[in-house]
């Protein structure tokens, strides 16, 4: 993800400095070039050797040390940075930068950079809530500096409250989001995901194997690139992507009604959900009991649910409607038929019986068929890569219409 990116990590003198080692290691795993600048005080908590070993680069501390090369370090690091991350950020460094103080290598380099600077504060709760610290944070935010809020929890100083540095995994995720190009600002997408469930009686229901992973990845891709995303999801165990508007539904009719509420105001409906086509005609309001008779049977009559893709495909005006065809046989014929009958803009077909393409997999093997009848086969891919292809295609179709 961070290939060819220069990330400068500033480490300051807080107990969370040890977590910065994990952070640097994660950034390296994502292929970033990481350069670490430590304050003198930070070296009292963790040795520069730790960071040097993890970053595979020299660690900078002293501004007046013999130059290792002919660059002036605070200028060369400031210029090469794609992003500056101060983690952990002490109350001291926040105060210094807010007040224009540049009295060591880290503060001087931050002052000299035009790159984005992101602080991950970590400190005792009283320090964090101190109005002076809060005023400094607000002031820096106004100037365009970014902050990854600390978590609430038990701190090293045995107090409970806000002040614990955000987890390294969350900091890496924040950086990933900030590197995304925001090419979908102003667009509004509805993404449906997951299965639906249809009750039989108060304790039983029917459903299918859909995990929701594909739809959640599509919602995440759209949101990261600046679109407003409404994710209408059947029951899943997935963590919803940050920043999307999540609407949870149970039945196919619930999903249909939720889409109906937002459809007029959206640019695209991406229907990655697997809603149940049928539902029991009668839902018993008491638990159905088995009978003590020989050859006891239970017959449930199923009736049709609304066809969400077909309904919105037919009534759409300028919206792009994307369908999915999860099939186990005659994939292309079935998908083509759906594309035409439901008046979709394109359809993403996958044979769920293939290796690497099932509902619960993290990968998918898809074929995209568009209105012009062009059929494109894709190799096995991570669902996030498939999501990117789908979102790129949706974006192009929206732009072609405007
Ligand atoms: C054991 C110990 C832990 C500390 N933890 C923090 C901390 O988590 N956050 C913070 O803002 N300051 C903390 N401090 C205070 C800073 O080290 C002090 O303000 C120092 O001047 C920061 O210098 P720097 O910002 O140049 O690294 C701690 C001090 C000690 C002795």
């Amino acid at each position: 993800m961070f290939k060819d990116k220069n990330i400068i990590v500033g480490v300051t003198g807080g107990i969370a400095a040890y977590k910065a080692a994990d952070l640097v290691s994660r950034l390296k795993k994502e292929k970033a070039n990481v350069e670490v600048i430590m304050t003198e005080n930070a070296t009292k908590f963790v040795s520069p050797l730790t960071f040097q070993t993890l970053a595979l680069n020299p660690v900078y501390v002293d501004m007046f040390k013999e130059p290792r090369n002919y660059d002036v370090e605070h200028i060369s690091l400031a210029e090469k940075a794609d992003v500056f991350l101060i983690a952990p950020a002490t109350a001291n460094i926040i105060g210094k930068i807010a007040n224009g103080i540049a009295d060591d290598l880290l503060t001087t380099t931050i002052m000299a950079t035009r790159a984005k600077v992101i602080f991950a504060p970590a400190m005792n709760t009283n320090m964090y809530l101190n109005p002076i610290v809060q005023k400094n944070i607000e002031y820096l935010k106004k100037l365009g500096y970014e902050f990854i809020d600390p978590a609430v929890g038990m701190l090293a100083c045995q107090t409970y409250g806000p002040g614990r540095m955000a987890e390294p995994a969350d900091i890496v995720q924040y950086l990933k989001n900030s590197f995304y190009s925001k090419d979908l600002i102003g667009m509004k997408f509805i993404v449906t995901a997951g299965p639906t469930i249809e009750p039989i009686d108060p304790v039983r229901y029917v459903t299918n194997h859909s995990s929701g992973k594909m739809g959640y990845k599509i919602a995440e891709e759209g949101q990261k690139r600046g679109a407003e995303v409404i994710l209408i999801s059947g029951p899943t165990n997935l963590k919803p992507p940050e920043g999307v508007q999540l609407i949870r539904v149970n039945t196919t009719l619930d999903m249909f009604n939720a889409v109906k509420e937002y459809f007029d105001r959206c640019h695209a409906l991406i229907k990655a959900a697997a809603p149940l086509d049928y539902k029991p005609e009668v839902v018993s309001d008491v638990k159905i009991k088995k009978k003590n008779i020989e050859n006891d049977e239970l017959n449930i009559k199923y009736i049709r649910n609304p066809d969400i893709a077909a309904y919105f495909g037919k009534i759409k005006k300028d919206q792009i409607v994307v369908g999915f065809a999860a099939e186990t046989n005659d994939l292309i014929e079935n998908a083509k038929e759906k594309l035409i009958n439901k008046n979709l803009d394109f359809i993403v077909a996958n044979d769920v019986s293939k290796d690497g393409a099932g509902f619960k997999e993290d990968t998918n093997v898809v074929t995209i068929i568009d209105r012009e009848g062009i059929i494109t086969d894709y190799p096995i891919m991570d669902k996030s890569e498939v999501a990117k292809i789908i979102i790129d295609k949706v974006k192009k179709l929206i732009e072609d219409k405007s």
Side-chain angles (χ1 to χ4, degrees), residues 13-16 88-92 94 120-131 133-134 137 150-165:
I15 196 71
T90 52
N92 183 49
I94 294 169
M123 64 198 77
N124 159 278
T125 299
N126 290 340
M127 284 173 89
Y128 182 67
L129 295 179
N130 186 310
V133 174
Q134 287 300 316
I137 292 175
V152 175
M154 186 55 86
L155 307 179
C157 52
Q158 300 304 306
T159 53
Y160 185 87
R164 197 169 70 189
M165 190 176 89

Side-chain angles (χ1 to χ4, degrees), residues 11-16 39-42 45 88-94 96 104 122-124 127 163:
V11 182
T12 62
I15 196 71
T39 60
E40 275 297 336
N41 289 327
F45 292 84
T90 52
N92 183 49
I93 188 109
I94 294 169
K96 280 191 192 175
D104 61 8
M123 64 198 77
N124 159 278
M127 284 173 89

Side-chain angles (χ1 to χ4, degrees), residues 229-266:
V229 179
I230 299 164
L231 174 61
I232 301 174
S233 172
T236 73
N237 294 320
L238 304 174
K239 187 174 167 229
E242 293 263 318
V244 306
Q245 184 185 342
L246 177 70
I247 298 172
R248 290 194 190 279
V249 294
N250 283 323
T251 66
T252 298
L253 188 60
D254 291 343
M255 188 172 274
F256 174 82
N257 286 331
V259 176
K260 204 168 179 187
E261 193 175 334
Y262 295 98
F263 186 71
D264 283 348
R265 284 164 282 144
C266 80

Side-chain angles (χ1 to χ4, degrees), residues 77-376:
L77 288 171
E79 278 176 358
K80 83 194 281 197
D82 289 302
V83 68
F84 235 104
L85 185 59
I86 321 300
T90 52
N92 183 49
I93 188 109
I94 294 169
K96 280 191 192 175
I97 299 302
N99 289 285
I101 295 169
D103 65 350
D104 61 8
L105 185 61
L106 181 58
T107 47
T108 309
T109 314
I110 295 173
M111 220 55 86
T113 194
R114 294 169 66 105
K116 181 187 282 195
V117 179
I118 303 169
F119 291 92
M123 64 198 77
N124 159 278
T125 299
N126 290 340
M127 284 173 89
Y128 182 67
L129 295 179
N130 186 310
I132 300 171
V133 174
Q134 287 300 316
K135 187 186 98 221
N136 288 336
I137 292 175
E138 285 316 310
Y139 176 62
L140 288 172
K141 279 185 180 170
K142 274 201 196 112
L143 296 180
Y145 291 83
E146 295 185 18
F147 283 79
I148 306 176
D149 290 341
V152 175
M154 186 55 86
L155 307 179
C157 52
Q158 300 304 306
T159 53
Y160 185 87
R164 197 169 70 189
M165 190 176 89
E167 289 307 314
D170 295 332
I171 297 176
V172 171
Q173 189 55 49
Y174 185 98
L175 273 186
K176 282 184 180 172
N177 292 352
S178 70
F179 278 126
Y180 260 81
S181 70
K182 305 284 181 205
D183 58 341
L184 304 177
I185 285 177
M187 293 189 189
K188 187 165 181 170
F189 299 158
I190 301 173
V191 181
T192 68
T196 56
I197 60 174
E198 296 293 349
I200 296 171
D201 68 17
V203 296
R204 302 183 181 91
Y205 58 82
V206 277
T207 187
N208 60 41
H209 289 298
S210 171
S211 66
K213 284 182 182 171
M214 192 64 250
Y216 276 56
K217 288 289 178 198
I218 295 169
E220 187 178 343
E221 175 75 17
Q223 191 280 333
K224 277 184 194 163
R225 288 166 59 176
E228 192 184 327
V229 179
I230 299 164
L231 174 61
I232 301 174
S233 172
T236 73
N237 294 320
L238 304 174
K239 187 174 167 229
E242 293 263 318
V244 306
Q245 184 185 342
L246 177 70
I247 298 172
R248 290 194 190 279
V249 294
N250 283 323
T251 66
T252 298
L253 188 60
D254 291 343
M255 188 172 274
F256 174 82
N257 286 331
V259 176
K260 204 168 179 187
E261 193 175 334
Y262 295 98
F263 186 71
D264 283 348
R265 284 164 282 144
C266 80
H267 295 92
L269 164 63
I270 306 166
K271 240 203 62 35
L276 264 67
D277 293 332
Y278 296 94
K279 65 176 177 182
E281 183 176 35
V282 179
V283 180
S284 171
D285 50 15
V286 291
K287 185 182 165 194
I288 301 169
K289 297 273 188 211
K290 56 184 178 297
K291 299 178 204 81
N292 259 339
I293 53 168
E294 214 176 305
N295 301 327
D296 181 23
E297 282 181 352
L298 175 67
N299 289 305
I300 298 173
K301 185 178 173 194
Y302 284 89
I303 56 167
R304 282 295 302 269
N305 261 323
D307 185 328
I308 301 176
Y311 179 87
F312 292 100
K314 299 250 160 68
I315 68 152
K316 71 179 176 167
K317 295 187 184 94
D318 281 334
Q319 293 97 332
I320 303 301
V321 178
V322 180
F324 277 69
E327 305 286 348
T328 53
N329 57 290
D330 303 326
L331 179 68
I332 301 300
E333 295 71 43
N334 283 328
K336 271 185 179 166
E337 203 179 302
K338 276 189 181 172
L339 176 78
I340 304 301
N341 290 348
K342 300 185 184 199
N343 194 29
L344 306 173
D345 290 272
F346 68 91
I347 190 157
V348 184
N350 66 323
D351 181 341
V352 284
S353 62
K354 261 193 191 166
D355 276 353
F359 281 127
K360 302 238 169 351
E361 306 276 347
D362 287 325
T363 53
N364 213 345
V365 186
V366 302
T367 299
I368 293 185
I369 309 174
D370 63 23
R371 300 273 323 163
E372 288 74 45
I374 299 169
I375 300 177
T376 315

